[in-house]
Amino acid sequence: LQNDSVVAGGGAIEMELSKYLRDYSRTIPGKQQLLIGAYAKALEIIPRQLCDNAGFDATNILNKLRAKHAQVG
């Protein structure tokens, strides 16, 4: 049975930075918004790769991580 619980560790900083940048990008107009949003998305590659390497469903885990980071701050 696969365990998909969320624990702090690898990828947590990248997810928090991604959340911060995504929120910030919504406050500015123009091309900068797209660039910052793309950088935020790129940061999520690290936790996604960690999930893939561990054999987890990366989409499911990243959704849980986003939800947890949204609750905290």
Side-chain angles (χ1 to χ4, degrees):
L1 182 66
Q2 190 174 17
N3 182 353
D4 66 351
S5 62
V6 176
V7 296
I13 292 171
E14 290 81 2
M15 288 300 293
E16 187 63 24
L17 286 172
S18 176
K19 176 191 169 297
Y20 176 83
L21 288 174
R22 199 176 308 272
D23 291 345
Y24 175 67
S25 75
R26 292 183 185 124
T27 67
I28 56 176
K31 291 180 183 178
Q32 289 85 5
Q33 181 182 39
L34 297 174
L35 292 171
I36 293 170
Y39 194 82
K41 184 176 180 180
L43 283 170
E44 291 186 0
I45 291 171
I46 296 165
R48 177 176 296 278
Q49 190 63 49
L50 290 170
C51 288
D52 286 341
N53 291 349
F56 295 127
D57 177 11
T59 303
N60 184 30
I61 297 292
L62 286 179
N63 285 335
K64 286 183 177 184
L65 285 171
R66 283 188 204 102
K68 290 288 186 184
H69 282 269
Q71 289 175 357
V72 173

